[in-house]
Amino acid sequence: MRTNNYAEYSGLLACLQYALDHHHPRLRVVSDSELMVKQIQGKYKVNSPDLKPLWQEARNRIAKLEAFEISHALRHKNKDADRLANEAMDRGMKRPQIPASGKNLSSFGEAGGPASRTEAPPKATPYPAKSEAPPDPYAKADTMLRGFTKDGVVHILGNATIPDGVFVKIIRE
């Protein structure tokens, strides 16, 4: 089991990966997680050792997009998403499903009335027994790379390469 903040970051990483995999170059994210939004925006520091690799991976994926925007929506303005998230968590925890009307539904239809369809409710993917943060591809380098800038582009000397999305610090010699 992980924290709600870990879940929020996992959701963001999934959205970013979906956008990259399906060639959507621009992404706008609205989240009710103030902490995650402000950390991604750079307004809050990431102090949690559990969140730091997720934050770094999110930054890496964001760097691969042409445009990215993230904003905060208060939970009361995002009731449908909050309800769906709670229903998914209940299904994952094997809790009984009780619709907002308080009446049990045997299939998807209007509460208390005949169902218009007889399909079963969607199944949630069960929560993994063991969850691990993605590996930190940008762990502190053990060697210094050398290079130069020309026309605003960093050129690395030798056969060294830097993966896309890495933040670098340039120091004049």
Side-chain angles (χ1 to χ4, degrees), residues 56-64 138 162-168:
Q56 185 61 55
E57 182 60 25
R59 298 293 300 170
N60 177 41
R61 292 178 190 182
I62 290 167
K64 294 177 182 178
Y138 309 113
I162 300 175
D164 288 342
V166 171
F167 293 90
V168 297

Side-chain angles (χ1 to χ4, degrees), residues 2 6-7 13 19 29 31-33 42-43 48 55 57 81 87 97 102 104 106 114 118 134 137 146 148 151 154 162:
R2 297 287 187 154
Y6 190 95
L13 287 172
V29 174
S31 173
D32 66 4
S33 173
K43 295 177 181 176
S48 167
W55 173 83
E57 182 60 25
E87 288 175 8
Q97 299 292 298
N104 286 322
S106 57
T118 57
R146 299 183 65 85
F148 63 95
D151 298 325
V154 176
I162 300 175

Side-chain angles (χ1 to χ4, degrees), residues 18 25 30 49-50 82 97 107-108 132 144 146 153:
Y18 182 90
V30 179
D50 289 337
D82 196 46
Q97 299 292 298
S107 62
F108 283 154
E132 295 180 14
M144 182 186 338
R146 299 183 65 85
V153 176

